[in-house]
Amino acid sequence: MIRGRLKAALDALFAQGVEEGLWSSAAAGRYAVELPKHEGMGDFATNFALVVAGADKKKPRDIATLVVERLRGQTELIARCEIAGPGFINITISPEVWRGLVPTILGAGPAFGRSQVGGGRRVMVEFVSANPTGPLSVGHGRQAILGDSIARLLEATGHDVYREYYFNDAGRQMRVLGESTRARYLELLGLPAQFPEDGYQGEYIVDIARALVEEHGDALKDHQEVEPFKAKAQDYIFKDISATLARLGIVFDNYFNEHSLYEDGHIDDVVAILRSKGYVYEKDNAVWFKTTAFGHEQDRVIIKSSGEPTYRLPDIAYHREKFRRDFDWLIDIFGSDHIATVPDVLAGVKALGYDPDKVTVVLHQFVTLTRDGKTVKMSTRKANFVTVDELVDEVGVDAVRFFFMMRKADSQMEFDLTLATRESQDNPVYYVQYAYARLCSILRQATEKGVQADLGHCALLTEPEELGLLKTLSTFPAAVESAALELAPHKIIFALMELAGQWHSYYNKHKVVGDDRVLSAARLSLIEALKVALYNGLTMVGLSAPERM
RNA sequence: GGACGGGUAGCUCAGCUGGAUAGAGCGUUGGCCUCCGAAGCCAAAGGUCGCGGGUUCGAAUCCCGCCUCGUCUACCA
């Protein structure tokens, strides 16, 4: 907010300088206003003089002198400014400006941090998209939280967001699932059963089989078709997945079944269109998509010689359906195992005449699970994985959300189960929530004592910690915006931890509600502003903001 | 072999559209509750930012090469 004002002032100064012939316009838009890393360098620093001097082959300090002279005239915004080092200009903002943020933030309330930069653009976020073969594992958990928090941040910044889950309930995986269920069913009836070699060994299969026994008794024992078993398993697992997602606070607008692409003829349409454009040919009895036309190394099969499509074809058809539903921005959240399919799908999108730049793929790396310092191998089939539900049982929804949001998508992350269970109290989510609860507690006690926040006394906020807190508060809206537009929820987490940390420090050093009622009133207004920011930040990404804990 | 992503403190990770003395949490060590919540604060120790070149006033950040780890590289999804 304040930084924006300063940047605008510099831009005006730059333009004026060009007009007066002080420097050329070569450096336009290349200088930056940043937060200095160290104490004693003012509130902001700009490399203005360095960049302008570099572009014009002049001495940085000469330029800096000119700039400083002019900035010093702007007393309502700037308290001090000086030249430092090779030509940096360090600027100290007038404390009045910082204090002015308190009424601004309180006035904005729930709107503080939120914005309309999205301009109502329609965005689809596709995520999770796990086939219904078993409960969601920790790996899916990362994806679920990542996708949902990206969606929430986009909503907070004025986007019209649609959440979609893409799944496939046909194919070999599902047949094996059905056969596994049948085997368990027969076992429960005490009948001989042959469990598939690569069957799903999870305990949940037994639960499903048990439900079938309760429902049908042994009526299905001679049933040769796998269908009733598969249907039951799929139905059961889907309910389980939805329940897990709901627990995490995740609700989808739509579940898109891959199967519908066949029934509606979209698969055939895609092949026909690609063929008419010359991107498809037959070889070895299979149908190939000419991805080499898009700079790829080799062409890819889209319909096998058996007549069945490969996974690429429905993926492309699915993306075509997304485009046909008229979204402005398509975001795909995928695990890194999908890396290879992304270029094929984008080539397909382009071949069909759609703009691949409207698609952003967020690839997240895998979650490595460790227990007692050792890596745990996971497989849905062997059922030796940890489920999202188990995780939530152990550490709670907020901790799970916070933990997965903390890390940027493209870093492999380690999930230490020993730590998660044994030391869940150390989870940094409590650091932020505690800051909020502590602040609420003070506000409650102030009310009991009859002390109220009073904006009229903000001039008393003179402590460095108070101005520091205001400074950080001023960066909050920009943090939300960049977290949203860069699809990087971890940025909001770091912003929250920064705010919480400064508040904890301030609390330990200064008393908010003390003997001086006027000073107390001023400080209460500051922490009310802080409360607005913490509340908005936490809830914006689906975390709770507990008033007591 | 190729594509993509990692390699930053003992551990887990930020910083990466170039900026001044590289950060946080955990762990370690030492302090702080007769006073608004100690789930907190303060301080200390801890670093060849994988390695080597290059670009420039300036590189953890950009470029090139190399090492290393992960995922992928199917007429499996």
Side-chain angles (χ1 to χ4, degrees):
Chain A
M1 319 171 68
I2 307 300
R3 178 194 184 140
R5 278 175 65 184
L6 184 58
K7 183 70 164 51
L10 275 173
D11 287 342
L13 193 152
F14 179 81
Q16 203 192 333
V18 171
E19 218 164 278
E20 292 175 24
L22 297 175
W23 47 70
S24 76
S25 58
R30 286 172 43 202
Y31 49 86
V33 176
E34 353 191 80
L35 300 168
K37 286 182 185 165
H38 306 285
E39 295 292 316
M41 293 179 175
D43 296 324
F44 294 102
T46 178
N47 58 356
F48 185 99
L50 288 166
V51 173
V52 170
D56 287 1
K57 304 278 179 213
K58 289 183 175 160
K59 290 183 183 169
R61 292 193 73 100
D62 292 346
I63 303 287
T65 307
L66 287 169
V67 174
V68 165
E69 275 170 13
R70 283 149 196 258
L71 284 178
R72 279 182 179 150
Q74 310 206 14
T75 50
E76 74 290 347
L77 179 62
I78 294 167
R80 264 199 332 275
C81 70
E82 47 218 10
I83 304 169
F88 287 103
I89 299 168
N90 292 336
I91 298 158
T92 304
I93 297 296
S94 162
E96 292 308 318
V97 174
W98 294 125
R99 290 175 198 129
L101 285 173
V102 176
T104 305
I105 293 169
L106 292 178
F112 180 63
R114 296 178 211 273
S115 71
Q116 289 303 321
V117 285
R121 284 208 294 162
R122 299 190 64 227
V123 186
M124 179 202 279
V125 183
E126 181 213 329
F127 61 113
V128 185
S129 298
N131 287 343
T133 60
L136 294 179
S137 72
V138 168
H140 296 122
R142 178 175 200 184
Q143 165 141 176
I145 301 305
L146 184 62
D148 185 63
S149 47
I150 284 173
R152 285 171 187 261
L153 284 166
L154 289 171
E155 281 167 345
T157 47
H159 297 82
D160 181 6
V161 179
Y162 190 83
R163 292 165 172 81
E164 189 156 286
Y165 183 127
Y166 176 70
F167 72 101
N168 182 12
D169 59 5
R172 214 187 77 87
Q173 284 179 31
M174 298 304 294
R175 197 170 63 241
V176 173
L177 179 73
E179 285 164 359
S180 306
T181 306
R182 172 165 54 196
R184 293 300 187 221
Y185 171 79
L186 295 174
E187 282 170 12
L188 283 174
L189 295 175
L191 298 165
Q194 195 171 19
F195 194 78
E197 202 167 309
D198 54 354
Y200 291 88
Q201 297 173 16
E203 192 62 25
Y204 60 94
I205 301 290
V206 181
D207 294 338
I208 297 165
R210 194 169 292 123
L212 280 169
V213 172
E214 281 166 18
E215 210 172 308
H216 302 283
D218 65 354
L220 300 172
K221 71 176 158 51
D222 296 321
H223 211 88
Q224 290 309 305
E225 293 294 313
V226 77
E227 190 48 46
F229 301 100
K230 195 191 99 174
K232 185 72 184 178
Q234 177 194 328
D235 182 55
Y236 178 96
I237 291 168
F238 236 121
K239 279 186 182 139
D240 177 73
I241 288 176
S242 321
T244 303
L245 291 169
R247 240 183 129 187
L248 289 170
I250 300 172
V251 178
F252 282 91
D253 293 295
N254 189 34
Y255 285 80
F256 191 102
N257 189 343
E258 177 180 330
H259 216 60
S260 66
L261 293 168
Y262 296 86
E263 288 157 7
D264 300 346
H266 292 131
I267 296 286
D268 296 337
D269 289 353
V270 166
V271 177
I273 295 168
L274 291 178
R275 193 185 299 275
S276 73
K277 296 194 176 190
Y279 290 123
V280 153
Y281 63 91
E282 267 82 19
K283 193 180 85 179
D284 302 334
N285 257 335
V287 180
W288 295 69
F289 174 30
K290 208 182 282 178
T291 41
T292 48
F294 300 92
H296 297 190
E297 265 188 20
Q298 48 187 315
D299 292 338
R300 301 291 188 181
V301 170
I302 50 174
I303 300 179
K304 298 186 255 183
S305 50
S306 65
E308 284 176 310
T310 65
Y311 64 90
R312 290 186 194 88
L313 184 51
D315 278 1
I316 293 169
Y318 174 45
H319 277 75
R320 173 169 174 259
E321 280 318 290
K322 292 188 185 181
F323 273 101
R324 279 156 59 98
R325 281 185 277 166
D326 207 25
F327 288 100
D328 299 307
W329 190 9
L330 302 173
I331 297 173
D332 296 345
I333 316 281
F334 292 151
S336 61
D337 54 338
H338 279 68
I339 278 180
T341 83
V342 171
D344 294 339
V345 170
L346 292 182
V349 163
K350 200 170 176 187
L352 291 167
Y354 297 102
D355 181 5
D357 289 342
K358 285 190 172 179
V359 181
T360 303
V361 177
V362 177
L363 280 168
H364 70 269
Q365 298 294 316
F366 286 148
V367 180
T368 313
L369 273 184
T370 60
R371 196 196 299 273
D372 301 325
K374 281 181 228 152
T375 304
V376 183
K377 296 257 188 226
M378 294 197 295
S379 146
T380 301
R381 201 154 280 174
K382 290 182 183 161
N384 57 355
F385 58 96
V386 176
T387 66
V388 173
D389 266 327
E390 289 164 347
L391 212 54
V392 173
D393 289 343
E394 285 173 358
V395 302
V397 173
D398 282 334
V400 169
R401 286 197 73 108
F402 197 94
F403 191 88
F404 282 125
M405 273 192 277
M406 259 173 78
R407 264 108 202 192
K408 63 176 187 209
D410 52 13
S411 70
Q412 271 169 248
M413 64 178 280
E414 190 167 305
F415 200 113
D416 188 331
L417 289 167
T418 317
L419 205 69
T421 53
R422 193 194 66 212
E423 301 183 43
S424 62
Q425 293 293 309
D426 288 335
N427 195 304
V429 68
Y430 299 109
Y431 185 78
V432 178
Q433 292 185 326
Y434 180 56
Y436 184 78
R438 175 180 250 182
L439 174 162
C440 290
S441 164
I442 292 175
L443 290 172
R444 279 195 300 270
Q445 290 181 39
T447 306
E448 283 166 20
K449 290 178 188 168
V451 187
Q452 281 191 337
D454 188 338
L455 289 171
H457 301 305
C458 283
L460 297 174
L461 299 172
T462 56
E463 298 289 349
E465 291 82 6
E466 289 163 344
L467 295 176
L469 217 32
L470 286 165
K471 228 168 121 175
T472 305
L473 283 168
S474 81
T475 63
F476 182 69
V480 174
E481 190 176 313
S482 69
L485 298 182
E486 294 168 34
L487 312 179
H490 74 278
K491 294 200 167 189
I492 204 74
I493 297 301
F494 281 86
L496 285 171
M497 289 182 68
E498 176 70 23
L499 273 176
Q502 281 190 38
W503 156 236
H504 283 310
S505 269
Y506 175 64
Y507 170 88
N508 273 274
K509 192 161 177 184
H510 303 287
K511 190 144 179 159
V512 175
V513 181
D515 298 333
D516 185 338
R517 291 179 76 91
V518 180
L519 181 60
S520 300
R523 291 181 171 173
L524 283 169
S525 64
L526 171 64
I527 70 166
E528 281 196 345
L530 182 61
K531 180 182 176 182
V532 167
L534 285 176
Y535 180 87
N536 291 358
L538 283 166
T539 55
M540 196 179 281
V541 289
L543 295 166
S544 66
E547 303 206 344
R548 302 168 204 270
M549 53 191 286

